[in-house]
Amino acid sequence: MAPGVEYREIDLSGAHGKARAHLVSVDLDNKHVRVGLLHPGAVAARSTVSRLADSQGALAGVNGDFFDITETQHPGVPATGSSVGPEIADGKALKAAVPRGQRFGPALPSGTTTEDVLGVGTDRTARLDRLALSGSVTTPEAELGLGGFNQYALPVGSIGAYTSDWGGLSRERAVCGTDGDRGAPCSTDTYEVTVRDGRVVATAGRPGSGGISPGTTVLVGREAGAQRLRKLSKGESVSVGHRLTAASGRAYTFAIGGFPVLRGGAALPGLDGTTSAVRTAAGIADGGHRLLLMALDGASEYRAGLTVAEVASTLRDLGATEGFNLDGGGSSTLVARKAGAGAVSVLNHPSGGAERAVANGVGVFPGA
């Protein structure tokens, strides 16, 4: 397809029928290519993989993390379209992970969390890691812990920070559900504080909406977090700090959420070997110097798909030692720009008959 980028199709036999995998292999040692986050420009937004790829000039890409796709359990609260896990784009942290009980997608394998990511470091090496939020809100009276950053769900009793990267969508979803129950009612004990240039400029009794200007941070509190924010007054000095800290200590140019299925060449214990579906996944090979992006075909003759356990096995057979499961079903999409084309084409058949708008994706870009 391009220097360092190869595409192929593979036919597979799954427990419930035949499947077809569309595979892009990326040589991360090749300076003419790089991997980055496909995203719609706001955390709380969605777009199709092809639009994301074309707007960002990508050579190829697949859909990414699971996301807040529906809010039927909270009537009147809009779905945010925001992803479950952390996001890093071009070295900048865009959001942190929601609590485990607030996630969308299949059950997580034992020992994994919503903070697990697939990332490419500043050393151009791909790896699986874990990104945790570190942050605080400092007032004249106290230093308060920060429980969320640009995420659609906040831990019970916490304070979350929202920046211009969130976008203009309502922040109301942030106070709905609990750490263990995504469908639990929205909290009625909430408070919001707007901080600009280090000073409180506005307060409100419930989360608001509308764009957040650069240099402004909106703090949303629920329960105990709301009670702490109510102590702040207009004009009072407040500083907010936040960062994503990698368990490995590495620095990342790109990171996306999902969940691990393969570590050190071995499948994680307890992977689902029963439920087959159209899936998207990524594999890491050659000591982190090669990235595999795989999306299954959703055409009727291949729609049986694979189980999560079969995805792990397939990635291992392709040479991966680490594997990462991404969103599947109607979201599974692989796009690529054919030689001489001005736009990408969808190379698999999305199972819904057309591309689904998604929160983010993994993009393959020309190198600097």
Side-chain angles (χ1 to χ4, degrees), residues 22 278 296-300 302-303 332 346-353:
H22 297 257
V278 176
L296 299 185
D297 204 293
S300 57
Y302 303 114
R303 201 166 294 171
S332 285
V346 180
L347 300 188
N348 71 330
H349 296 86
S351 60

Side-chain angles (χ1 to χ4, degrees), residues 36 311 360:
V311 167
N360 57 24

Side-chain angles (χ1 to χ4, degrees), residues 290-331:
R290 183 161 61 99
L291 182 67
L292 307 173
L293 302 176
M294 182 180 77
L296 299 185
D297 204 293
S300 57
E301 62 266 39
Y302 303 114
R303 201 166 294 171
L306 297 175
T307 67
V308 175
E310 288 172 337
V311 167
S313 178
T314 299
L315 291 173
R316 182 176 55 210
D317 291 345
L318 291 169
T321 54
E322 277 70 41
F324 201 68
N325 192 76
L326 298 165
D327 191 13
S331 297

